Amino acid sequence: MSMKSLSFPKIRLGDYGMAVALVALCALFSVLTLKRQSGEGPQAVSEMVDVVMHQIPSTLTIFIVGAANTGSAELAESVYSKVRANGLVNARMVVGSPRDLRLALDALATEGGQLGGVVTSGDAAKWLVLDQIGVNYPAFADSRIATPSERLWPDFLKASNLLAIVERIVVIAIIAIGMTLVIITAGIDLSVGSLIALSAVISASVVKLLGGPDASGWAVALGFFAGIVSCGLIGLMAGGIVSRFKVAAFIVTLGIMMMARGLAFMTTGGFSIDQVPDSFVWLAQGRLAGVPNTVILLVLIYGFAHVFMTHTRYGRYIYAVGGNAEAARLTGVPVRAVIAFVYAVSGLAAGLGGCLQASLVRAAAPNMANMYELYVIAAVVVGGTSLSGGSGRVLGTLIGAFIIAVIQNGMNLLGIQSYTQMFTLGGVIVLAVLLDKARQSGGIRQFLSGS
Amino acid sequence: MKNIVKSFPGVKALKGVSLVLREGEVLGLIGENGAGKSTLIKVLGGAHLPDSGEVSIEGRTVSLRSPAISQSERIAIIHQAISLAPNLTARENLYLGKEETRRGFLDHRGEETRARELFERLGMDIDLKARCRELTVAEQQTVEIARALASDARIIVMDEPTAALSQQEVDKLIAIIGDLRKQGIAIIYISHRLEEVLALADRITVLRDGETVAEESEMAGLSKDQLIEWMVGRPLNEEFPKRDSAIGPVRLKVEGLSRGQAVQDVSFELRAGEVLGIAGLVGSGRTETARLLFGADKADSGRVFLDGKAIEMGRPREAIERGICLLTEDRKDQGLILIHSARENFGLPNLKAFVRNFFVDQGQEQTAFEAYVGSLNIKVSGPSQRAGNLSGGNQQKVVLAKWLQRNADILIFDEPTRGIDVGAKYEIYLLINQLVAEGKSVLLISSELPEVIGMSDRIIVMRSGRIQGEVERGQSATQEQLLGMALDSEE
């Protein structure tokens, strides 16, 4: 083989077969949840502003209506502020329930005003009051009811749904990074589910001690820090036991799983803690520059972990230890330190996951995140990391986590029962692993022939 | 076996091989690594289904679709890597998968009686109650042979059975094979040790690149050189390349090194530009001594000096730091990470040197590896080829490359040519010569006496963990002389 033909390994599509599966799933659920949607977003806003400004005489009163806490309220607010800025004074905004609209109509009728039209969208457009304006208020019978033009769009691909998927999976996905590292060293960490609860109750307890609902942002930060660091230390201890005494990781982390769960209950006396300030939920529900924090966290941590695993010395050591610990040791790799390190990372990730989970639900309970370790392991394995160690990809794990989340979310949208969901998800995990094996052995046919 | 063809993705491993085996004969099957011997044997064992061609036994065409079918045709394969369950006893292994029962319960006593008969037939006294991992390699091999006999095999294939055996044990095995032949059992004997094949075989089949290149039934007058010529397809001039040694000052001095029973009070010196051979039987403490020097195990006592300065024998990492590197006896389990690429294996101990701004510069790693691919003549299909898919000789070269890049100047070769074919062996010898010519020091451990004699400037012989004797430079050592020292004279 000549030197020239040596080149960098190219990324083969097969390496990311799971990515293809994920895209296919998204496509499937998009098709299945395709529906006529009332318009929303900037386009709908400008369409409505146009209606209000140009198609309805500005001398008449115009109602801009939205249902509280829905997209239609957001739309109503944007349209209202735009038309006010354009100098229209006869517009009135009604955001609330059908009763609020009826009261507003009554008021206008009592005033003897003239209704030029109603601009509305989404849920509010379906209110019965609107249909019956001509019946109940004969004076307004000529008024026009305008809604943004409808469009065909899947429920699955709505921005709110995509964010829901991220929120559903962010905790599992972040912990799965640590688990990927552990599994690449041919280990396993069963303690992460309990560590979520422990981290959550530790951080919430610290916040409660430092003022509860009135605690400052610093107190919240300190609480999260305490939760993450304690779990990191517990992980380090687990890794130390595994590497120093060569005890099976399964047993060590099984023990720690029970100890951590016990500690979580002991910390709160069995109760959950919800005396937390608003800043506590900012971590998982807030936004930075318009982007949800959860998305930012996922991108940052996965980016960092990917570069760490593929482009640094320590990443290569982790793969080497999982590939053949004895050969790695005899090549000068600090095997024990590497093993302790990956369990510490797994603990830290579980700690962060606990803080996120508590922040998402605005409370910390010692019994939260039960069985999460199994979802985490499933995400890693579906992502193509082999339980026998030495191979696997962090980005594969991200894809694995999203496959699980997308399946759950898609089935929710289709109204499938939760029992059926659990059954299906389990089947998908087994199928995913089988497909991955088939890919490794060079094709379905070779795989089925068993050679 | 007739016109067997078997392809794997990208390779045609067998291009129509035919092979005839008669009752009560030993057929020597030889060929370089990659010639197709293993594939052919796997076809016979039912592990691979051939693309075309047929296998017939006693005139009857058989389809060996699975290992179970192959076994029921009374074919037994004894692989190079011992495949006994390490935690079961010899007896349990013997009857694994074909346990004998009486009224539904295991018939321990019956099994034991028959096991004893079998081992008696083989002339080996084996503790039937010992777990297999406690047995020596030779004993384990005997258990495998006994297992083949227990299943009433009429065709036994032995793949490199002597690779891990000492000379004494080899002699015993040869005697056993002679007995089996007398009992009418047909044996296919695969070995890189051509002397053994010449001594044992009634006929010889030579494979090269998936084809039969020679079939010889006239054994008398057949020479080793002729076999090598068939195997590599060209005449080979000399077995061990010559070199002019320029031996310098003492680099490594070992004093009173001990660890339990394995290594007792071992002292020696290794000079720059010198190849020091360590001869001895398997289990005489050669490998254990090497592991102590490298820090793979901890010594009970003893001191080691490097260039006159006492050094602590700590961990492999520290030994590597000092330029002392070990090419392990067992490349597959200890030398390489088989599921990783050749380049990654090469880079593993050298990553620090390739790091730029915290990131591993993979381009630089690649360039460095390519330089060794050229200078050591490593045959890889590409840098991402898995180390596990390389031939033995190329695996050894990858291990050597990783240490050379690390600036190793004291290299411990433990069985560097085990399981490596003739052509690649010669290349390894040339490399060793080149290393000492550059002033590096080489400690060469080998069970093959001709290799130790042919390659070493000086030889020490170990027995039962102690140095038994030393043959100085200038004295020409003979195999008998070394063997005499290696064997216990009181026996």
Side-chain angles (χ1 to χ4, degrees), chain A residues 15-376:
Chain A
D15 286 348
Y16 286 94
M18 285 301 158
V20 178
L22 178 59
V23 172
L25 275 173
C26 291
L28 173 73
F29 286 124
S30 297
V31 171
L32 290 178
T33 61
L34 204 57
K35 251 199 241 161
R36 295 202 73 80
Q37 310 274 356
S38 76
E40 55 183 51
Q43 229 180 338
V45 171
S46 63
E47 191 187 342
M48 289 298 94
V49 169
D50 187 60
V51 169
V52 175
M53 298 303 298
H54 304 296
Q55 298 175 20
I56 297 172
S58 58
T59 50
L60 305 180
T61 304
I62 297 165
F63 278 9
I64 301 172
V65 179
N69 300 322
T70 68
S72 63
E74 273 173 45
L75 187 85
E77 276 159 19
S78 322
V79 172
Y80 184 69
S81 64
K82 280 250 171 72
V83 299
R84 292 294 292 206
N86 285 350
L88 192 78
V89 287
N90 284 340
R92 293 187 191 176
M93 182 171 71
V94 183
V95 169
S97 65
R99 187 166 171 271
D100 294 322
L101 177 60
R102 198 174 315 121
L103 290 175
L105 286 166
D106 288 346
L108 186 67
T110 323
E111 286 168 25
Q114 279 293 310
L115 184 65
V118 179
V119 170
T120 184
S121 68
D123 296 343
K126 295 172 200 149
W127 289 352
L128 215 58
V129 199
L130 283 174
D131 289 341
Q132 296 174 344
I133 282 185
V135 181
N136 295 336
Y137 308 90
F140 303 154
D142 293 340
S143 61
R144 176 175 170 194
I145 296 173
T147 52
S149 44
E150 290 190 338
R151 57 185 187 142
L152 210 52
W153 191 252
D155 278 346
F156 178 79
L157 286 183
K158 279 164 113 177
S160 56
N161 187 57
L162 295 178
L163 182 61
I165 293 178
V166 171
E167 285 188 347
R168 170 114 203 175
I169 205 63
V170 63
V171 172
I172 285 173
I174 284 177
I175 299 172
I177 294 177
M179 187 68 82
T180 306
L181 267 54
V182 169
I183 290 182
I184 287 176
T185 67
I188 194 87
D189 186 352
L190 298 179
S191 67
V192 292
S194 301
L195 289 182
I196 293 175
L198 183 62
S199 163
V201 299
I202 287 177
S203 49
S205 301
V206 169
V207 171
K208 188 180 165 192
L209 273 178
L210 297 177
D214 306 319
S216 67
W218 288 111
V220 171
L222 183 69
F224 287 151
F225 181 77
I228 295 171
V229 168
S230 339
C231 290
L233 289 176
I234 292 175
L236 186 65
M237 184 184 82
I241 296 173
V242 170
S243 64
R244 178 72 182 79
F245 302 107
K246 303 211 169 17
V247 191
F250 187 95
I251 299 301
V252 175
T253 58
L254 181 74
I256 287 176
M257 168 177 116
M258 298 166 78
M259 289 164 67
R261 186 66 72 179
L263 261 182
F265 276 101
M266 284 150 67
T267 307
T268 69
F271 299 105
S272 60
I273 303 173
D274 53 8
Q275 300 97 318
V276 289
D278 287 342
S279 56
F280 191 81
V281 298
W282 180 83
L283 180 69
Q285 297 181 22
R287 283 167 187 256
L288 259 181
V291 185
N293 287 351
T294 45
V295 174
I296 296 177
L297 267 177
L298 273 184
V299 170
L300 278 184
I301 299 181
Y302 266 92
F304 179 79
H306 173 71
V307 172
F308 178 82
M309 287 303 281
T310 53
H311 287 85
T312 72
R313 189 150 63 101
Y314 310 99
R316 292 273 288 272
Y317 284 172
I318 291 172
Y319 282 104
V321 167
N324 183 339
E326 180 64 1
R329 184 176 82 97
L330 294 179
T331 307
V333 174
V335 173
R336 276 189 196 165
V338 167
I339 290 178
F341 172 79
V342 294
Y343 285 90
V345 170
S346 179
L348 286 172
L352 176 58
C355 297
L356 281 168
Q357 183 74 11
S359 173
L360 274 172
V361 301
R362 211 197 166 105
N367 62 349
M368 73 201 297
N370 224 345
M371 300 237 296
Y372 263 41
E373 58 278 351
L374 300 184
Y375 284 103
V376 170

Side-chain angles (χ1 to χ4, degrees), chain A residues 393-418:
Chain A
R393 285 190 190 76
V394 169
L395 293 186
T397 297
L398 181 62
I399 292 168
F402 268 95
I403 285 182
I404 292 176
V406 163
I407 290 174
Q408 282 185 330
N409 176 272
M411 289 194 293
N412 273 337
L413 292 180
L414 296 174
I416 294 173
Q417 258 201 326
S418 68

